[in-house]
Amino acid sequence: MFVLGIDPGLSRCGFAVVEPSRRGGGRAVALGVITTAPKEPTPIRLAEIQREFRALMREYHPAVVSVERIFFQNNVRTAVSVAQVSGLIIAESISGGADVVEYSPNQVKSAVAGDGRADKLQMQEMVQVLLNLSAIPKPADAADAAALALCHLANDPSGFLQNRVSAVLR
């Protein structure tokens, strides 16, 4: 039973597979980044992300995929490419049988660090502590994805995952 956190991006799409623990929090099963070459055309890059993401779905069969809700203030070009990746991830997740939840950056920061204004380093340190890792997870996109998975474990508004975990642990 896994939560797959995704920090969508066209050049670097962070992912983290987290297994919930009985005492809350979780255990990192896989952390990493799907990368694409900036010189490649966008359709090729999207197809590459799709292939890699499908492989993650097949390998881990997550119950829930937790994705960062897109929020941009200035850079429209970046917003479009991130929105394309996010849409692809959401559609593939549902097609693969997982539930999808979206969290804003402030929701993630509040759930993981206890402060919606936490900076990048604070978030990385909290991910390290909460997942009992020997070092801060790198690259930052993988740490962000882990924070998204942890955010879902902290919030799980439906109780869906908790109910599944309880049934499995009995």
Side-chain angles (χ1 to χ4, degrees):
M1 188 110 31
F2 301 115
V3 174
L4 174 55
I6 296 290
D7 180 32
L10 189 58
S11 293
R12 292 178 321 275
C13 182
F15 68 87
V17 179
V18 176
E19 181 178 41
S21 69
R22 285 183 186 207
R23 293 169 298 225
R27 177 181 73 84
V29 176
L31 291 168
V33 176
I34 300 168
T35 59
T36 64
K39 292 182 181 179
E40 291 290 331
T42 298
I44 300 297
R45 297 169 77 187
L46 289 170
E48 190 172 328
I49 291 168
Q50 182 181 39
R51 275 191 303 278
E52 294 289 330
F53 185 74
R54 281 180 177 171
L56 285 171
M57 292 292 290
R58 279 192 305 273
E59 183 172 354
Y60 296 105
H61 304 285
V64 177
V65 177
S66 178
V67 183
E68 184 172 54
R69 184 174 300 131
I70 299 170
F71 173 78
F72 286 93
Q73 293 177 331
N74 299 326
N75 193 337
V76 174
R77 185 170 175 218
T78 302
V80 170
S81 65
V82 171
Q84 289 173 315
V85 172
S86 185
L88 178 141
I89 295 297
I90 290 167
E92 287 292 332
S93 298
I94 295 297
S95 293
D99 286 344
V100 175
V101 292
E102 294 179 278
Y103 294 103
S104 71
N106 284 350
Q107 286 175 300
V108 176
K109 291 175 182 182
S110 292
V112 174
D115 181 355
R117 298 167 308 198
D119 65 29
K120 205 74 140 158
L121 181 59
Q122 287 173 302
M123 290 297 292
Q124 291 170 337
E125 289 172 342
M126 286 305 299
V127 166
Q128 177 186 2
V129 169
L130 292 170
L131 292 177
N132 197 27
L133 302 172
S134 59
I136 289 175
K138 293 193 181 192
D141 307 279
D144 292 347
L148 279 149
L150 288 166
C151 176
H152 183 69
L153 291 176
N155 284 294
D156 192 14
S158 67
F160 170 78
L161 192 60
Q162 277 306 106
N163 292 337
R164 280 192 178 183
V165 171
S166 296
V168 169
L169 296 177
R170 284 187 196 145

